[in-house]
Amino acid sequence: MDRVEGSAEKMRECRQAFFKQDFVMSYETTKSMEFEKRGTGEVIYLLMNKAITIVRDPDWVEDTADWQPVHNTSLRRFRKKTNQGQTPISYGYPVTFNSAEELSTYLEKEIHQPVR
């Protein structure tokens, strides 16, 4: 399997991890995918990096003192702050995984489930 095929397969597996945990894909660009949790509305971005990286919304993550924010225009639904430029840019907190299976486990254990 070449690198492009491997990357496409990895992204398919990551999408499936989100769908399995009751997320819907609400927006997609060449650099990211935006997922929204049914029932809670929480938004998480999957970035198209070499590593599997998701970015959590600052409004949904508690105790971020030790987290390093990532600034990215793809995070269109997150709040903004000024980083290095003069204009505010959206930011969130990244979490990186070695596999789609690790991502799936994280989504299952760490993401708030809607109250039923």
Side-chain angles (χ1 to χ4, degrees):
M1 183 180 323
D2 68 26
R3 189 171 156 173
V4 173
E5 287 175 9
S7 178
E9 178 65 19
K10 180 170 71 170
M11 293 316 298
R12 187 188 65 73
E13 291 173 357
C14 290
R15 274 194 308 271
Q16 289 303 321
F18 276 97
F19 297 154
K20 181 180 171 187
Q21 294 306 318
D22 212 18
F23 279 85
V24 294
M25 188 185 314
S26 47
Y27 192 75
E28 183 176 10
T29 69
T30 56
K31 296 182 180 186
S32 68
M33 291 180 201
E34 177 186 281
F35 293 92
E36 186 172 336
K37 179 79 169 164
R38 286 190 182 125
T40 67
E42 180 175 1
V43 173
I44 296 178
Y45 288 89
L46 175 63
L47 300 183
M48 311 293 186
N49 296 334
K50 289 182 183 179
I52 298 170
T53 304
I54 63 168
V55 183
R56 303 275 316 267
D57 187 333
D59 294 333
W60 284 84
V61 180
E62 297 175 14
D63 190 22
T64 57
D66 295 329
W67 294 44
Q68 293 299 312
V70 62
H71 298 81
N72 192 310
T73 56
S74 293
L75 311 175
R76 64 192 191 104
R77 290 180 52 191
F78 290 179
R79 62 179 140 147
K80 297 179 179 184
K81 71 176 184 177
T82 302
N83 183 27
Q84 295 175 338
Q86 294 182 354
T87 8
I89 186 169
S90 300
Y91 75 98
Y93 295 100
V95 184
T96 304
F97 306 95
N98 293 315
S99 68
E101 188 174 302
E102 279 184 12
L103 168 62
S104 184
T105 299
Y106 178 87
L107 293 173
E108 183 178 354
K109 293 183 177 182
E110 300 295 329
I111 304 304
H112 303 289
Q113 298 299 319
V115 178
R116 298 188 190 261

